[in-house]
Amino acid sequence: MNDELRTLWKEANETIPDQGTWDVNHHRKRTSDRISKGLRVGITIDIIIKFVIAIAAFFLFITSGFDPSYVLLTIISLILLILMVAIGIVSKKKLDAISPDLPIVKRLERKLTFMKSTYRLNMISGALTAPLFVFTGNCYYFHYKYGELMFNDPVILVFITLAFIIAYAAQYPIYHLQVKELEEAVGDLDENKAITIDAAKSKQKGIYSSLMMIGIVILIVMLILFFIL
Amino acid sequence: MRINDEKQFEYLIVENHALIMKVCLMFHHDRNGQEDLFQDICVNIWKGLSSFKGNASISTWLYRVALNTALAEKRKLKNDPMLFAAEIQDIPEELPEAKSDKVQALYAGIDHLKPTEKAIIFLYLEEKTYKQIAEIIGITEKNISVKLVRIKRKLEDTINSYLTKRGTKR
């Protein structure tokens, strides 16, 4: 059977179609099509939204007549913006650094590690857009309705937290599917070694990412509480 | 893009056209899919050419790049419902390019394999040694031999069942 398989394979490939020719224009077109898809676009859109929010916050600061109580809002927005842009750039660089000339199992492992560490952090960054939007939106509402920021109502804090949780939870099922699929692929190739080696690495990085996430959430909550008190 | 690099790249593509096309045919039945994968593999060869240090043979390196690209593309496809649906629609009932029932059965058998299994059996069919396959895939020779036994059994079952349905004796 073994030889027969190889003989059949030879028969199947006696004449290779000559359709495959390197065409840089074809590639450019496809690349430009692909730019509108996937992680890179997600990161870019997220950065743009955060940038718009930051501008809105800054605009509010100016229209408030440089009221010191609005400074914090601007600072929060700008810090988050810089942090998220940095995370986005690092994520993109790390993704690009996974070379296609690595042994197959190594490449899959690296993608898995990326998904379980850097990408998770990126998900947190993406999820923070929603509470940032709610927070800034509320600032505008209070400013134009009451002429001052009134964050002494815990319901607002609840909505801001909910916005983060919902945004994060919405991304999670897709993320989970992608990770599962990569784990299956690594497991298919090296069921003895790959998962265990990578599990240790990704667990460590996962803990780091979770701590970052908790840190960011605590920072936001503290800043908002600072407003209330 | 330096002229020497460009020439080296073009030479590599021309010299290894058959290898790249075989990977494309293994992972795609439709012409568009094959064409797209071909371009992707070329792009990755170009990107990797400057970092190729000659630690592995150029053939091993090319197989790695081609198969990594094909596997990455399959994953992307699976994660994009629109593209995945288009790919399903593209699979013809009669497999193209197949010359005999047995060859069609081989393609049908390959179709039933997981992408990573396709990569391993592809290297086996290309008459690579276990050592070479292990080097390209990145797992041990022992592991490769175990996997190949399973994959060949799976392939043989599908081929037999395909030929039985067609009423062709092996």
Side-chain angles (χ1 to χ4, degrees), chain B residues 50 93 107 114 132:
Chain B
S50 55
E93 284 182 23
Y107 275 121
K114 292 176 185 173
Q132 287 170 317

Side-chain angles (χ1 to χ4, degrees), chain B residues 61-72:
Chain B
W61 181 79
L62 279 168
Y63 275 108
R64 269 185 196 167
V65 174
L67 290 172
N68 267 324
T69 311
L71 292 177

Side-chain angles (χ1 to χ4, degrees), chain A residues 59-77:
Chain A
F59 181 73
L60 191 62
F61 176 55
I62 294 167
T63 52
S64 71
F66 301 98
D67 187 330
S69 63
Y70 287 71
V71 172
L72 199 56
L73 163 70
T74 317
I75 289 172
I76 292 171
S77 303

Side-chain angles (χ1 to χ4, degrees), chain B residues 50-61:
Chain B
S50 55
S51 64
F52 176 64
K53 293 181 180 77
N55 295 337
S57 72
I58 190 83
S59 148
T60 302
W61 181 79

